[in-house]
Amino acid sequence: MELMSGNEAIAQGAWEAGAHIGVAYPGTPSTETLEAFAKKDGVYAEWCVNEKVAVEVGVGASAAGARVLSTMKHVGVNVAADPLFTAAYTGVGGGLVVLAADDPGMYSSQNEQDSHHYARAAHIPMLDPADSAEALRFTREAYELSERFDVPVFIRSTVRVSHTKTPVEPGPRAQAALKPYEKNAAKWVMMPAFAKPRRRDQLARVEALRAWAETCPYNEVVRRGDAVGVVCAGAVYQHVVEALPDASVFKLGCTWPLPAEALRAFAASVEALYVVEEASEYLTESVRALGIEAAPFAHPLPADGELTPGLVRAAFGLAEPPHAPTPEGLPGRPPALCPGCPHRLVFKELTRLKAIVTGDIGCYTLGALPPLSAMDTCVDMGASVSMAHGFELALAGTEHRPVVAVIGDSTFAHSGLSSLISTVYNRGGGTVCVLDNRTTAMTGRQGNPFNGETLQKRPSRELDLEGVVRALGVEDVRTVDPHDARAVRAALKDATGTDELSVLVFRAPCVLLDRTRKPAFLVTGACTACGVCPTLGCPAIAKDAGTGCASIDPGLCIGCGQCAQYCAFNAIEQPEGGSHE
């Protein structure tokens, strides 16, 4: 018996099933799954530039006969939808399992979507584990299900399942031989002449899946009484059984397709049937579509965010369970860029420039928060470059503030390149800032094409970011030290002062890559309380409420010297023996 997170258990289940190829783009809450898989014996794992590419690599490996694991967060499913919908037509060679890790509550995401809708729309079966033991079992057995029905299989998790550790019984690895590949254009070439009969094959497969779902071993009825019956799935099941100990529960382990007859029989066995789910109406709508009446709650469930046992009890008009009150007067802890972050001065100077800043997905999104308040938009991966072009088109012929796109190196490889190609093709202008901190920092410092580090530390090729951009036809390409305030200011002023398209590469490693600390800076008596240094938003800098003078926390300061460059009174110094390079 071992404690494993849901992510680790999914990796273990894939390994036990004999999967030996893993592909993904990192994204919380899915990231640790492929990292755990990559450490297993006898496997190959790689970070791809985006989720679409990952699934396409996976479909190719599956067609060649291998069992494959592809992992992504819920918004990654949007990116991968194109190949996924067609893979539901082609089917598989070796089993193909796709993790869709949802994030109800949006702890690290820009939206709150339910991947169940993708399973229904694409006609791909979806399994919904409620804990790590089920995550391991469902994933392990999903490969045989995939090959039996000739279809990819979704494993859906949420942040609670992905990151909570519960007991599992790991088992041995099955020897899954590579299935021999045979040329079969009617299966793998999805031109209309072949896709039409594959569509009919898919419809027959769906009927077979619906029949299988009626006796699916992953659906379970927990019988406790006849008064109240609850239909739920995944992590919500844990909240329901805690909140409603006397209710009978139909726990769905397979959430598409639903077992219609089994659900009807369960509904007939209880006086009132309720559907409990978080941040979605997928299950409720699906149950009602089967002609089953879902009773209304005494108080509606919240339409957004994660559920808790207390929220479930409140929906049924029951008292909250006893709990300690939340302490009062706790200070807020808003997220902030780390001390010494190489992005900070870029955002500071963009604020001084009064630029319109179209942002992107990454830890640099924190540049939108006070006191920097430098970012105007953030929508999805790669949108910064495309939206900047849109701003330029809309504001053409008017006097307007500079328009600047800000994107990280990994996100630039993910989808920023295609956006930049479109801007170049259409002779767009503006300024694109690539914040190259030599890693994919937000999700845990994974490798990407522009730092050349692979998941399993294999020999690789570090792509020349500036060279790639120049090859696209951008003439004004510059590399800037983001820790040098004057250099950052000058580069931004020059780039935004022209109508031509400029790309500035601000390159310096994330401070978490090298944790070597220089002596901390300190504020001397020469401080005039001008208030400039706190506007950098560095967690190490505080401001005395009474005097207005600044102070630096030596436990947080890493000695980067960014603040000293903004002190017009030379009141920020590094002790003897330290220097800012």
Side-chain angles (χ1 to χ4, degrees):
M1 188 72 71
E2 294 182 23
L3 281 177
M4 286 188 186
S5 68
N7 284 344
E8 292 168 330
I10 290 166
Q12 178 70 19
W15 180 80
E16 289 183 12
H20 70 272
I21 293 177
V23 285
Y25 180 82
T28 306
S30 71
T31 306
E32 300 87 355
T33 313
L34 201 66
E35 291 178 330
F37 181 79
K39 296 174 183 175
K40 307 288 186 186
D41 293 333
V43 304
Y44 172 92
E46 72 175 31
W47 296 127
C48 299
V49 294
N50 61 41
E51 297 85 356
K52 176 180 182 290
V53 170
V55 167
E56 290 163 348
V57 172
V59 171
S62 169
R67 286 186 166 183
V68 182
L69 174 67
S70 182
T71 69
M72 62 200 71
K73 67 184 295 176
H74 62 293
V75 287
V77 183
N78 302 335
V79 180
D82 194 359
L84 278 172
F85 272 68
T86 304
Y89 277 36
T90 65
V92 302
L96 174 58
V97 173
V98 179
L99 167 64
D102 288 359
D103 189 14
M106 294 177 283
Y107 290 96
S108 58
S109 306
Q110 67 269 40
N111 69 28
E112 189 175 55
Q113 67 188 53
D114 182 354
S115 295
H116 287 119
H117 294 288
Y118 272 107
R120 180 169 59 188
H123 295 149
I124 294 175
M126 176 169 276
L127 307 183
D128 226 307
D131 58 24
S132 298
E134 288 189 347
L136 192 159
R137 176 190 168 209
F138 290 7
T139 305
R140 182 182 64 228
E141 298 176 9
Y143 286 92
E144 291 194 9
L145 186 67
S146 174
E147 292 168 2
R148 173 182 169 187
F149 289 100
D150 190 22
V151 66
V153 174
F154 273 125
I155 299 289
R156 176 186 180 264
S157 74
T158 60
V159 66
R160 286 304 132 202
V161 174
S162 289
H163 290 163
T164 300
K165 295 201 173 200
T166 60
V168 301
E169 282 280 4
R173 178 167 168 81
Q175 296 304 313
L178 194 71
K179 295 181 181 297
Y181 171 72
E182 295 180 2
K183 183 180 178 69
N184 184 352
K187 176 176 171 64
W188 293 107
V189 181
M190 286 301 95
M191 57 190 290
F194 296 140
K196 290 177 181 179
R198 287 305 292 181
R199 168 63 169 158
R200 291 190 288 271
D201 290 344
Q202 182 194 46
L203 293 174
R205 180 191 311 136
V206 168
E207 289 307 307
L209 282 165
R210 291 190 194 281
W212 166 82
E214 294 296 340
T215 57
C216 165
Y218 311 125
N219 298 328
E220 178 184 355
V221 174
V222 180
R223 182 69 63 182
R224 291 202 176 94
D226 299 333
V228 174
V230 176
V231 176
C232 59
V236 172
Y237 168 74
Q238 310 292 355
H239 305 319
V240 168
V241 295
E242 181 177 338
L244 307 171
D246 298 324
S248 291
V249 180
F250 195 125
K251 179 169 73 71
L252 288 163
C254 176
T255 43
W256 194 88
L258 293 180
E261 295 307 319
L263 283 169
R264 290 188 183 110
F266 178 73
S269 73
V270 295
E271 296 174 19
L273 181 85
Y274 297 85
V275 180
V276 178
E277 56 188 325
E278 56 188 2
S280 180
E281 295 183 343
Y282 164 79
L283 279 180
T284 304
E285 292 172 350
S286 299
V287 167
R288 286 176 173 158
L290 296 174
I292 300 170
E293 182 179 351
F297 295 103
H299 304 284
L301 284 166
D304 64 311
E306 282 193 293
L307 290 183
T308 64
L311 289 172
V312 174
R313 286 183 63 84
F316 282 84
L318 302 173
E320 240 188 317
H323 62 280
T326 302
E328 296 182 2
L330 294 177
R333 295 188 63 189
L337 297 172
C338 299
C341 175
H343 305 330
R344 177 169 281 107
L345 301 194
V346 177
F347 285 122
K348 176 63 178 174
E349 291 304 320
L350 287 170
T351 302
R352 287 170 56 101
L353 196 60
K354 294 182 172 56
I356 298 171
V357 178
T358 55
D360 227 296
I361 306 298
C363 53
Y364 43 86
T365 307
L366 296 171
L369 300 180
L372 292 168
S373 302
M375 192 177 290
D376 291 76
T377 69
C378 179
V379 175
D380 69 300
M381 300 279 278
S384 58
V385 181
S386 309
M387 290 184 69
H389 181 52
F391 266 91
E392 292 282 3
L393 292 176
L395 299 176
T398 70
E399 289 291 328
H400 63 84
R401 293 148 54 200
V403 177
V404 179
V406 174
I407 188 169
D409 48 320
S410 181
T411 311
F412 187 61
H414 179 284
S415 45
L417 266 170
S418 54
S419 297
L420 185 62
I421 289 170
S422 185
T423 299
V424 173
Y425 165 60
N426 288 290
R427 301 190 68 84
T431 302
V432 176
C433 297
V434 181
L435 305 182
D436 181 2
N437 62 1
R438 317 304 297 144
T439 190
T440 312
M442 186 183 192
T443 53
R445 303 183 302 282
Q446 291 79 24
N448 67 67
F450 291 123
N451 72 5
E453 183 177 305
T454 60
L455 177 54
Q456 293 177 310
K457 312 302 180 187
R458 294 181 304 275
S460 177
R461 174 177 293 171
E462 179 180 335
L463 299 190
D464 177 359
L465 198 159
E466 291 88 343
V468 168
V469 173
R470 289 190 180 98
L472 298 181
V474 181
E475 296 179 0
D476 184 12
V477 183
R478 301 179 231 178
T479 307
V480 185
D481 177 4
H483 290 293
D484 186 334
R486 286 196 177 93
V488 172
R489 187 176 305 163
L492 287 171
K493 183 178 179 181
D494 288 348
T496 57
T498 174
D499 293 332
E500 298 301 313
L501 179 63
S502 301
V503 174
L504 305 178
V505 180
F506 293 96
R507 178 172 292 123
C510 169
V511 293
L512 298 181
L513 291 179
D514 180 2
R515 301 188 184 223
T516 303
R517 298 168 71 105
K518 299 174 183 176
F521 279 71
L522 53 84
V523 179
T524 70
C527 178
T528 64
C530 70
V532 171
C533 60
T535 64
L536 289 169
C538 177
I541 301 175
K543 181 179 178 180
D544 186 278
T547 67
C549 290
S551 63
I552 295 176
D553 185 339
L556 291 176
C557 178
I558 67 164
C560 70
Q562 292 178 355
C563 55
Q565 299 178 70
Y566 284 86
C567 183
F569 305 96
N570 297 317
I572 300 178
E573 297 180 349
Q574 199 169 36
E576 193 88 20
S579 63
H580 169 58
E581 297 175 0

